[in-house]
Amino acid sequence: QKEVEQNSGPLSVPEGAIASLNCTYSDRVSQSFFWYRQYSGKSPELIMSIYSNGDKEDGRFTAQLNKASQYVSLLIRDSQPSDSATYLCAVNRAGNNRKLIWGLGTSLAVNP
Amino acid sequence: GAVVSQHPSRVICKSGTSVKIECRSLDFQATTMFWYRQFPKQSLMLMATSNEGSKATYEQGVEKDKFLINHASLTLSTLTVTSAHPEDSSFYICSAIVSGGRQETQYFGPGTRLLVL
């Protein structure tokens, strides 16, 4: 079992729809959770961070964390073609030398 | 804030030469930076953790004598690919940690694309 798992996709949604990206992690002591967006040929860009159970909203993005079920999700409302990218989930756990554990990413395609 | 730069953005070199890549935190101090490598259509691979004032910590399978890391100041880490070969051609990306209380966040540089001929 991978430490951080994501569905590779591609996830295809029509423009204006809600895109839902999911991530599960195996280590219960994980403390910090991140979503990064990576466009093809570019470096990752931080979208959201979340540390506590529940929802965190920032514009069209909402991160949801459920530590009991060990999953974190990212919702993108009113999806735009410019949201088409690979979304990477990353997890940090205490005592891990500050390194992030990365999922392999979910490819999202928003169709006009 | 939290801007990380890399230089050069792109480099082409001959096989056997060495290439130095710089990673700078522009508006904050970073005691810890990370170096990643990413091959086309593959996931990020952590190469090493760069710690200011001390030796880098390399991930398993990464040759420390081939990928020299120096973190001489709180705003600069360098990665030198020594005796580069075509198989070293890749996208090299650095990141730096921004600390805010108990929470830390990694911000990435724009990456350096290396092509070894």
Side-chain angles (χ1 to χ4, degrees):
Chain A
Q1 181 189 9
K2 291 190 176 69
E3 292 191 68
V4 177
E5 294 208 56
Q6 296 180 252
N7 188 322
S8 63
L11 173 65
S12 183
V13 300
E15 184 174 356
I18 296 176
S20 177
L21 303 159
N22 299 311
C23 171
T24 59
Y25 59 95
S26 60
D27 195 330
R28 285 192 171 274
V29 300
S30 298
Q31 296 186 327
S32 306
F33 307 85
F34 305 89
W35 283 99
Y36 287 83
R37 177 177 64 196
Q38 187 174 25
Y39 291 114
S40 180
K42 302 293 186 182
S43 66
E45 171 192 11
L46 180 68
I47 298 297
M48 293 281 286
S49 60
I50 187 167
Y51 307 95
S52 305
N53 277 326
D55 294 1
K56 179 181 178 183
E57 187 174 319
D58 183 0
R60 296 187 296 112
F61 299 97
T62 299
Q64 299 174 319
L65 175 60
N66 185 320
K67 289 187 177 181
S69 300
Q70 294 175 238
Y71 82 77
V72 55
S73 62
L74 179 70
L75 300 178
I76 306 175
R77 288 181 300 281
D78 189 24
S79 295
Q80 301 297 308
S82 59
D83 295 325
S84 299
T86 296
Y87 289 80
L88 302 168
C89 172
V91 172
N92 178 276
R93 56 177 190 263
N96 196 36
N97 297 320
R98 311 171 88 181
K99 295 189 294 186
L100 291 176
I101 310 300
W102 293 88
L104 297 182
T106 298
S107 175
L108 173 66
V110 181
N111 305 308
Chain B
V3 178
V4 179
S5 71
Q6 275 185 249
H7 177 80
S9 59
R10 185 182 296 267
V11 58
I12 301 173
C13 69
K14 292 182 179 179
S15 185
T17 60
S18 294
V19 174
K20 180 185 283 188
I21 303 170
E22 293 186 348
C23 177
R24 293 182 186 272
S25 56
L26 296 186
D27 51 0
F28 64 100
Q29 293 182 330
T31 57
T32 301
M33 293 182 174
F34 297 95
W35 286 97
Y36 293 84
R37 180 167 58 179
Q38 189 174 35
F39 293 106
K41 299 193 184 302
Q42 294 190 21
S43 60
L44 283 174
M45 188 193 82
L46 179 64
M47 300 175 68
T49 303
S50 172
N51 299 300
E52 187 269 336
S54 65
K55 290 182 180 180
T57 304
Y58 290 82
E59 295 300 300
Q60 191 173 8
V62 178
E63 300 174 59
K64 63 180 180 181
D65 294 331
K66 179 168 183 62
F67 299 100
L68 301 179
I69 292 172
N70 184 286
H71 195 151
S73 79
L74 288 171
T75 59
L76 173 64
S77 175
T78 61
L79 168 69
T80 301
V81 183
T82 63
S83 185
H85 288 94
E87 58 265 30
D88 298 322
S89 299
S90 189
F91 190 38
Y92 291 86
I93 317 171
C94 73
S95 70
I97 286 182
V98 173
S99 296
R102 295 192 305 167
Q103 297 167 353
E104 296 185 336
T105 305
Q106 278 191 39
Y107 289 90
F108 283 84
T112 296
R113 201 162 297 280
L114 171 64
L115 177 61
V116 184
L117 301 178

